[in-house]
C-alpha cells in the first residue's frame, strides 16, 4: 500500500513537472484540437521569433469534402509537428513556379503563425496581427515561407499569419445552385480568419487588432472579404495592393457553364445537366485531372483582357437564399452603398502594372492594339452593361485619352490603357466610393529599384513599376538583398507605413523624419489624394487618367455595376 501511494505521489509530481515544463516551452502551443510544436528562429539582429508552420485550420477537402465548404479539422492526440512548409494547394496557370520542398496536394488547408512574443507568456502586451492572403490569379502561390518570408514584418513587432486556400477549379468551380457551392477558395480564407480570431491570443496576438492584407488576386480577395457581411468583427483594417473587388478579373459570369464543360472534358460521355451527377463525377475524378483541365474561355463570354483570354475559375455572386453564401450583391454597388465591413483601408497600385504581364513577349502590344483598333467597343467588351452604340462611343472616347490616332501607331498607349483599365481605374474608384464610409489611404508605388526584379523592364517604350514589383520589398522574395541605399531605405519605409497601419490604423500617426515628416492625407469623395511612394514621398491628387475615365463610364454604364 505504501509503495502504491509513493508511486502515485511520484507520478503526480512528474506530471506537474512536465506540465510546468510545457508551459515554459514557447515552441509548444495547445490548440482546441491538440498540441502543436513550432520552432524558435533568429532575426537579423539575433533576436528570437517563433514560427508555427502548417497548422491545420480546416479538414482536408478530399473525398466527400471535395467541392464542399471547409469544416473544422479532427482533433489529434500526439503533438503535431509545425516546423516547416511542405504542402500547397494544387497550382495551375502560366505563373506557377515550383519551390523546393513544396508538394501540391488537396490536403492543403493550413496556415502559418510567426510571432516575437513567447506563446503562453501572459506578462507581455498582445501584438497586433497581419493576415496575408496571397495572390496568383486564384490559380497559383501559397502562404509558404518559401514564397513569403515573414521576418521583415515580424521585426516590426506585428504577428504575421499566412494562409493557403483552394485554387483553380478545386477552389472556384461552382454549379451556382448550392450543390457545388461558389467561392470555396474565399470561404477557406473566411474560415482561416475565424480561426485567427479564435486562436491568435495563444500566440501573443490581439484578436481585436487584426488587419487583413493581400496583393493581386489576394487584393481582390481582401476586397471581397471586406464586402462580405459574414466577416463582421473578424478584422479591423484592410490593406489592398494591386487589385481589388472592382477589378474586372474579380468576377466570373458563366461559372455554371464552365463547371459542366469541365465535366464533359473529363468524361466525353457525360451529357447531363444535373448538378448532383456532375458532383459525383468530379468527386470520383483525380484531383490532378481536375486541376490540369485545358478549358479555354468561350467566345463572347469573357470580360477580361481580350477575346479568348481571361480567368475561368474566379469568384462569383451567389444567390441570397443559398446556405453559407459569402457574396450576394454586385461588388461595385456594395462598396458604393456601404454594404461592407466599414473599416479603414490602405489601397493602391504600382505605377505601370501591365508591364509585368507583357515583359517576356514583344508581340503583345501590337496584338492588343490591333484587337482594340479593330472594334472600339472592345475597349469596353462585356465589362459594363452598355448598348452596342454606346460601347462604340465610349470606346472611341477612351482611346482618345491615350492617343490622338490609333493604338497600332502608338503601342505605348495600349500598355498604359491596360494598366489603367485593369488596375488604376477600378482601384481609384474603390477608394473614392469607400471614402464615403471609412478612412481610405490611397497610394501609388513608383520606385523602380533592383529589388523588385524588373529594373530593366520596358514595354513598347513604357517604363514604370510593374505588377508584383512591390512584393520583394515586403517579403524578401528576391534572393538578392538590397545593394543600394535607395532600395534598402524604400523597403524599410514601406514596412514602417504598413506596420504603423496595423498598429494604429493610421500609416503616419505622427511626424517621422524617416518618413520625410509626411502626413498621409485621407481620400475624400471630392478630393482624390494619394501618396506617391518613391525615393521621396509626395502627396498628389487625381491618379493617372481616372477622372477622364469617370466622365465617360458614368455617362454610358448602366447600373447595377459589378466592376468598374
Amino acid at each position: 500500500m505504501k509503495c502504491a501511494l509513493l508511486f502515485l505521489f511520484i507520478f503526480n509530481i512528474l506530471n506537474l513537472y512536465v506540465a510546468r515544463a510545457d508551459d515554459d516551452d514557447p515552441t509548444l502551443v495547445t490548440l482546441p484540437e491538440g498540441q502543436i510544436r513550432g520552432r524558435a528562429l533568429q532575426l537579423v539582429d539575433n533576436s528570437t521569433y517563433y514560427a508555427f508552420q502548417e497548422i491545420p485550420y480546416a479538414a482536408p477537402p478530399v473525398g466527400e469534402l471535395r467541392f464542399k465548404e471547409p469544416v473544422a479539422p479532427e482533433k489529434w492526440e500526439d503533438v503535431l509537428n509545425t516546423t516547416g512548409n511542405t504542402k500547397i494547394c494544387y497550382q495551375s496557370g502560366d505563373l506557377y513556379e515550383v519551390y523546393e520542398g513544396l508538394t501540391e496536394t488537396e490536403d492543403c488547408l493550413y496556415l502559418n503563425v510567426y510571432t516575437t512574443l513567447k506563446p503562453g507568456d501572459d506578462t507581455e502586451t498582445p501584438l497586433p496581427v497581419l493576415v496575408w492572403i496571397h495572390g496568383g490569379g486564384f490559380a497559383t502561390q501559397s502562404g509558404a515561407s518559401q514564397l513569403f518570408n515573414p521576418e521583415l514584418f515580424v521585426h516590426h513587432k506585428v504577428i504575421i499569419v499566412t494562409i493557403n486556400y483552394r485554387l483553380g477549379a478545386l477552389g472556384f468551380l461552382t454549379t451556382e445552385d448550392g450543390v457545388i457551392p461558389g467561392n470555396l477558395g474565399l470561404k477557406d480564407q473566411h474560415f482561416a480568419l475565424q480561426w485567427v480570431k479564435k486562436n491568435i491570443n495563444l500566440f501573443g496576438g490581439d484578436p481585436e487588432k487584426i488587419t487583413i492584407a493581400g496583393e493581386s488576386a489576394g487584393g481582390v480577395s481582401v476586397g471581397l472579404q471586406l464586402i462580405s457581411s459574414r466577416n463582421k468583427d473578424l478584422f479591423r483594417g484592410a490593406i489592398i495592393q494591386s487589385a481589388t473587388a472592382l477589378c474586372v478579373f474579380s468576377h466570373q459570369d458563366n461559372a455554371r457553364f464552365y463547371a459542366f464543360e469541365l465535366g464533359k472534358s473529363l468524361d466525353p460521355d457525360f451529357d447531363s445537366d444535373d448538378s448532383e451527377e456532375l458532383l459525383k463525377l468530379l468527386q470520383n475524378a483525380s484531383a490532378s485531372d481536375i486541376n490540369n483541365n485545358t478549358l479555354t474561355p468561350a467566345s463572347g463570354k469573357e470580360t477580361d483582357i481580350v477575346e479568348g483570354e481571361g480567368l475561368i475559375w474566379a469568384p462569383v455572386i451567389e444567390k441570397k437564399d443559398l446556405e453559407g453564401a459569402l457574396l450576394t450583391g454586385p461588388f461595385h454597388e456594395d462598396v458604393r452603398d456601404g454594404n461592407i465591413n466599414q473599416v479603414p483601408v490602405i489601397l493602391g497600385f504600382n505605377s505601370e502594372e501591365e508591364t509585368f504581364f507583357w515583359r517576356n513577349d514583344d508581340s503583345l502590344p501590337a496584338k492588343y492594339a490591333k484587337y482594340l483598333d479593330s472594334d472600339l467597343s472592345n475597349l469596353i467588351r462585356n465589362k459594363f452593361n452598355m448598348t452596342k452604340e454606346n460601347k462604340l462611343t465610349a470606346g472611341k472616347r477612351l482611346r482618345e485619352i491615350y492617343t490622338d490616332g490609333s493604338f497600332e501607331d502608338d503601342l505605348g498607349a495600349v500598355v498604359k490603357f491596360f494598366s489603367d483599365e485593369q488596375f488604376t481605374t477600378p482601384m481609384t474608384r474603390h477608394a473614392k466610393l469607400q471614402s464615403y464610409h471609412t478612412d481610405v489611404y490611397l497610394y501609388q508605388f513608383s520606385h523602380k529599384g533592383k529589388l523588385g526584379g524588373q529594373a530593366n523592364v520596358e514595354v513598347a517604350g513604357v517604363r514604370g513599376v510593374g505588377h508584383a514589383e512591390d512584393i520583394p520589398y515586403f517579403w524578401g522574395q528576391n534572393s538578392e538583398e538590397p545593394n543600394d541605399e535607395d532600395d534598402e531605405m524604400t523597403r524599410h519605409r514601406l514596412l514602417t507605413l504598413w506596420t504603423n497601419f496595423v498598429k494604429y490604423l493610421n500609416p503616419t500617426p505622427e511626424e517621422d523624419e524617416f518618413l520625410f515628416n509626411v502626413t498621409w492625407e485621407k481620400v475624400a469623395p471630392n478630393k482624390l489624394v494619394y501618396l506617391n511612394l518613391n525615393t521621396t514621398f509626395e502627396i498628389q491628387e487625381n491618379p493617372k487618367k481616372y477622372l477622364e475615365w469617370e466622365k465617360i463610364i458614368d455617362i454610358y454604364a448602366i447600373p447595377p455595376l459589378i466592376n468598374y
Side-chain angles (χ1 to χ4, degrees):
M1 182 67 176
K2 288 183 178 179
C3 289
L5 290 173
L6 179 62
F7 175 80
L8 183 62
F9 174 77
I10 293 172
F11 180 78
N12 288 334
I13 289 294
L14 287 173
N15 271 351
L16 183 63
Y17 176 78
V18 170
R20 185 177 294 120
D22 288 347
D23 288 342
D24 291 338
D25 183 354
T27 68
L28 188 67
V29 171
T30 301
L31 297 171
E33 296 79 16
Q35 288 188 313
I36 60 173
R37 172 79 69 186
R39 55 180 172 158
L41 299 171
Q42 302 300 119
L43 293 171
V44 292
D45 63 359
N46 293 322
S47 63
T48 300
Y49 76 101
Y50 303 94
F52 300 85
Q53 295 165 275
E54 223 154 81
I55 306 171
Y57 70 83
V62 299
E64 293 184 355
L65 293 182
R66 180 189 284 174
F67 291 117
K68 294 298 181 181
E69 294 191 10
V71 297
E74 294 184 359
K75 294 184 177 181
W76 55 86
E77 293 184 1
D78 297 330
V79 176
L80 192 64
N81 178 23
T82 58
T83 58
N85 290 124
T86 61
K87 298 178 180 180
I88 60 175
C89 296
Y90 270 96
Q91 312 274 301
S92 61
D94 296 337
L95 298 180
Y96 175 41
E97 183 177 354
V98 178
Y99 284 82
E100 185 177 354
L102 299 179
T103 301
E104 296 176 73
T105 173
E106 275 192 280
D107 177 13
C108 65
L109 298 185
Y110 297 92
L111 55 75
N112 313 293
V113 179
Y114 306 96
T115 175
T116 56
L117 291 188
K118 288 184 178 181
D121 186 349
D122 296 331
T123 65
E124 296 278 3
T125 302
L127 292 177
V129 182
L130 178 70
V131 180
W132 178 256
I133 302 176
H134 71 79
F138 303 110
T140 68
Q141 299 194 17
S142 73
S145 61
Q146 290 91 326
L147 284 81
F148 297 101
N149 185 332
E151 292 184 3
L152 295 168
F153 272 112
V154 169
H155 187 73
H156 283 259
K157 304 302 181 185
V158 297
I159 289 178
I160 294 296
V161 179
T162 61
I163 66 174
N164 294 347
Y165 58 94
R166 281 173 283 181
L167 303 166
L170 291 164
F172 291 92
L173 179 149
T174 174
T175 54
E176 298 191 281
D177 55 9
V179 175
I180 300 179
N183 299 319
L184 290 173
L186 296 176
K187 290 171 181 175
D188 293 341
Q189 298 169 10
H190 166 72
F191 207 71
L193 291 175
Q194 291 179 306
W195 186 99
V196 174
K197 182 75 172 183
K198 178 182 177 182
N199 295 299
I200 201 63
N201 65 299
L202 301 174
F203 302 87
D206 188 338
E208 302 305 316
K209 293 183 178 180
I210 296 171
T211 296
I212 60 174
E215 181 266 351
S216 192
V220 171
S221 297
V222 171
L224 294 173
Q225 300 297 350
L226 194 68
I227 290 171
S228 176
S229 61
R230 288 182 62 188
N231 287 309
K232 181 176 172 58
D233 297 327
L234 289 184
F235 51 84
R236 69 164 192 165
I239 300 174
I240 302 174
Q241 298 174 220
S242 293
T244 181
L246 272 58
C247 292
V248 64
F249 52 86
S250 72
H251 173 249
Q252 173 55 259
D253 258 329
N254 304 287
R256 183 175 175 85
F257 167 81
Y258 286 117
F260 282 89
E261 286 296 295
L262 178 55
K264 294 173 186 176
S265 74
L266 293 171
D267 181 0
D269 295 327
F270 180 75
D271 61 357
S272 173
D273 62 357
D274 183 273
S275 297
E276 294 285 357
E277 292 184 14
L278 176 63
L279 175 61
K280 183 178 179 180
L281 168 68
L282 293 174
Q283 287 184 334
N284 288 324
S286 75
S288 59
D289 284 348
I290 293 171
N291 181 69
N292 296 333
N293 69 86
T294 57
L295 293 188
T296 56
S299 177
K301 288 187 177 292
E302 296 313 307
T303 61
D304 190 20
I305 307 296
V306 301
E307 193 68 36
E309 298 183 9
L311 294 182
I312 290 179
W313 312 116
V316 298
I317 296 173
E318 300 164 80
K319 295 176 182 176
K320 293 183 179 180
D321 60 349
L322 291 178
E323 183 178 356
L326 191 77
L327 300 163
T328 58
F331 306 153
H332 177 277
E333 308 304 276
D334 278 338
V335 177
R336 183 197 65 189
D337 296 339
N339 295 328
I340 57 176
N341 295 282
Q342 295 194 3
V343 301
V345 300
I346 288 178
L347 184 150
F349 44 84
N350 298 342
S351 63
E352 209 64 65
E353 297 269 0
E354 198 67 24
T355 56
F356 169 80
F357 300 97
W358 297 5
R359 69 195 189 284
N360 295 324
D361 189 342
D362 293 338
S363 70
L364 290 179
K367 171 187 173 181
Y368 292 133
K370 183 177 181 180
Y371 170 74
L372 296 178
D373 285 335
S374 67
D375 181 353
L376 294 181
S377 66
N378 287 337
L379 277 77
I380 303 297
R381 301 185 306 283
N382 296 325
K383 185 175 181 179
F384 301 107
N385 182 20
M386 291 187 190
T387 66
K388 184 176 181 179
E389 180 182 1
N390 284 344
K391 276 188 180 182
L392 285 169
T393 303
K396 179 176 182 294
R397 292 184 61 185
L398 284 176
R399 186 174 66 175
E400 289 171 351
I401 294 175
Y402 294 90
T403 178
D404 294 332
S406 69
F407 282 125
E408 290 178 274
D409 291 333
D410 188 352
L411 297 182
V414 77
V415 178
K416 295 176 182 179
F417 168 80
F418 277 113
S419 285
D420 292 350
E421 193 260 2
Q422 294 281 301
F423 298 97
T424 312
T425 297
M427 296 199 74
T428 305
R429 179 67 162 196
H430 185 157
K432 178 178 179 177
L433 295 181
Q434 183 148 345
S435 72
Y436 284 96
H437 310 289
T438 77
D439 291 347
V440 176
Y441 299 93
L442 183 63
Y443 74 87
Q444 175 178 291
F445 181 56
S446 302
H447 174 60
K448 187 79 172 169
K450 295 179 180 179
L451 193 58
Q454 302 173 47
N456 298 319
V457 170
E458 181 177 297
V459 179
V462 176
R463 288 180 58 80
V465 181
H467 193 66
E469 205 166 337
D470 54 326
I471 292 300
Y473 289 85
F474 295 102
W475 297 99
Q477 281 187 322
N478 192 330
S479 60
E480 181 183 356
E481 285 302 305
N483 59 5
D484 66 56
E485 185 177 357
D486 284 341
D487 268 5
E488 185 172 1
M489 298 301 283
T490 298
R491 162 177 276 178
H492 290 294
R493 288 187 177 111
L494 291 175
L495 287 162
T496 300
L497 290 170
W498 264 230
T499 55
N500 276 348
F501 183 80
V502 175
K503 295 171 185 176
Y504 312 114
L505 296 181
N506 184 339
T508 53
E510 59 186 12
E511 283 194 359
D512 184 342
E513 187 175 351
F514 182 60
L515 301 176
F516 307 107
N517 292 320
V518 70
T519 297
W520 193 339
E521 189 176 348
K522 291 176 283 191
V523 174
N526 60 351
K527 190 177 183 183
L528 297 178
V529 293
Y530 66 99
L531 184 60
N532 189 38
L533 301 168
N534 208 322
T535 50
T536 59
F537 292 172
E538 184 179 357
I539 297 291
Q540 299 179 346
E541 292 190 40
N542 303 326
K544 305 292 280 293
K545 304 290 186 179
Y546 173 77
L547 291 180
E548 294 164 90
W549 274 79
E550 185 181 70
K551 290 176 184 177
I552 298 168
I553 300 305
D554 287 0
I555 292 174
Y556 299 110
I558 303 172
L561 302 182
I562 298 172
N563 310 114
Y564 196 83

